[in-house]
Amino acid sequence: MNTQNILALALKPAMRVTKFHFGGAIIVMMLAVGLVAASAAPPSGGPTATRLVTGLQGAMGSTIGPDGALYVTEGAVGQISRVDPQTGQKTTFASGLPPAIIGIGGAIDVAFIDNIAYVLVTLVSDPLFPSSDVDGIYRVDGPDSFTVVADIGAFNLANPPTIPFQVDVKTGLQFALQTYRGGFLVTDGHLNRVLRVTLDGEITVLIAFDNIVPTGLEVRGNTIYMAEAGPVPHLPENGKVVSFGPNSPTATEVASGAPLLVDVEFGGDRLYALSQGIFPVGSPPATPALPNTGALVKVNVDGTFTVITDGLDRPTSLEFIGNTAYFVTLTGEIWKIDGVSK
């Protein structure tokens, strides 16, 4: 994708939800700023899903905070929102982060270490759209104050991928932030790799891939689990959960068979993944998955998935609190599914 095409996507005034395409690697994103989420058809099959929150702006990533609440990024407005998982009451936890400047990006994920929040910010600066902001990890110092602890954009400019595939945005498109051994892991869905980042700002490439589009992360012990969306057209067989260790040169397939996986999480002792939905056959890369075709799936020991709840409307992020699953959607909503991991 050339510069003109990237900026054209950002300038489409009526577009609400789409995917952003970089040379075959698609990451699901929201393009509109400040739009109210549309109502979604209720998910069908399996445990019942209940809508908890609407009206989030550019919501993508989430985490469970030390207080047991949900924390969700709203990249379009540069803020983190706190959501009561029982009542759905939403309050602003932090604001003033760099917002999306080309229609997508900004604050995309959030995590806590020692009760301190850290925010992953992406696509706010690149040679294609230069700015004074930083693509990287920000520490939340107060309700409207932050410190950059890792400049991932600068690292990516200085250390481009060595595996050959098309790169359009040299600073990359970071997607997921996961705590790991006192620091972080970060997936890059454009540069197709996982970075390891310390609190001192040291950045290294933990593992690199071909064009598989890494998305969500989960850690259990020494094992790292990662979701893969797969390249266009996001065939089910390319939607995978893989695992690797801190010194693994390659990843091992854990399960496959669900289209456009965007997250992976443990619920109790079982591993679950989140499918964003079915890609419309023959559609151009900027086309979203079909509405209400996403699913929460369980990872089976034989390498397959079992659908727990289907009919989800383009979900992006998954969390568990006890037996209840919570997912964020591209339409700016949070849903909860009770009784998943009994």
Side-chain angles (χ1 to χ4, degrees):
M1 177 177 290
N2 59 32
T3 307
Q4 182 178 2
N5 290 338
I6 291 173
L7 295 179
L9 279 175
L11 294 173
K12 289 182 179 179
M15 185 175 293
R16 182 175 67 212
V17 177
T18 191
K19 301 173 193 157
F20 199 52
H21 179 265
F22 293 133
I26 279 187
I27 291 296
V28 184
M29 290 289 171
M30 177 172 285
L31 286 186
V33 177
L35 290 180
V36 177
S39 60
S44 61
T48 301
T50 304
R51 185 164 50 197
L52 187 68
V53 174
T54 63
L56 299 172
Q57 301 180 71
M60 286 295 296
S62 61
T63 193
I64 306 300
D67 59 351
L70 284 163
Y71 289 79
V72 183
T73 59
E74 295 189 68
V77 290
Q79 71 180 32
I80 308 297
S81 291
R82 178 190 184 276
V83 175
D84 187 301
Q86 298 302 318
T87 67
Q89 180 181 1
K90 182 173 76 75
T91 56
T92 299
F93 172 70
S95 61
L97 287 156
I101 63 171
I102 62 168
I104 63 174
I108 198 166
D109 206 1
V110 57
F112 283 84
I113 293 181
D114 295 332
N115 296 323
I116 298 173
Y118 295 83
V119 186
L120 181 64
V121 174
T122 189
L123 285 176
V124 296
S125 183
D126 187 81
L128 289 175
F129 39 90
S131 81
S132 59
D133 291 322
V134 172
D135 294 312
I137 299 174
Y138 291 59
R139 185 183 67 231
V140 179
D141 298 326
D144 56 2
S145 61
F146 311 90
T147 299
V148 175
V149 298
D151 189 336
I152 295 176
F155 174 85
N156 286 340
L157 288 173
N159 300 274
T162 57
I163 298 175
F165 48 78
Q166 182 177 340
V167 173
D168 296 293
V169 178
K170 295 180 179 180
T171 52
L173 195 167
Q174 296 77 56
F175 188 83
L177 180 69
Q178 174 69 45
T179 58
Y180 183 72
R181 296 186 175 185
F184 303 98
L185 301 174
V186 175
T187 55
D188 194 309
H190 180 37
L191 303 186
N192 291 293
R193 59 192 185 185
V194 177
L195 302 177
R196 187 170 180 180
V197 184
T198 71
L199 289 179
D200 294 329
E202 181 182 354
I203 305 171
T204 55
V205 176
L206 182 68
I207 188 169
F209 303 94
D210 202 343
N211 183 27
I212 51 86
V213 191
T215 54
L217 289 167
E218 174 68 303
V219 171
R220 179 63 62 94
N222 290 320
T223 303
I224 302 160
Y225 296 89
M226 186 186 78
E228 296 180 6
V232 177
H234 305 302
L235 299 175
E237 57 264 35
N238 293 326
K240 300 177 181 180
V241 172
V242 300
S243 67
F244 49 91
N247 300 307
S248 300
T250 60
T252 300
E253 183 175 316
V254 177
S256 63
L260 217 167
L261 292 183
V262 291
D263 207 356
V264 58
E265 293 287 338
F266 272 99
D269 293 328
R270 301 303 300 266
L271 191 62
Y272 297 84
L274 193 62
S275 167
Q276 195 256 341
I278 299 172
F279 185 78
V281 176
S283 297
T287 304
L290 295 172
N292 306 313
T293 60
L296 174 65
V297 298
K298 181 175 64 177
V299 175
N300 299 318
V301 294
D302 63 355
T304 62
F305 293 119
T306 295
V307 174
I308 301 300
T309 305
D310 60 6
L312 312 186
D313 191 10
R314 293 158 290 184
T316 61
S317 179
L318 174 67
E319 305 295 338
F320 275 89
I321 300 177
N323 295 325
T324 302
Y326 295 82
F327 63 91
V328 179
T329 77
L330 283 178
T331 55
E333 300 178 342
I334 300 175
W335 291 69
K336 68 176 183 176
I337 308 174
D338 294 316
V340 173
S341 58
K342 289 182 179 179

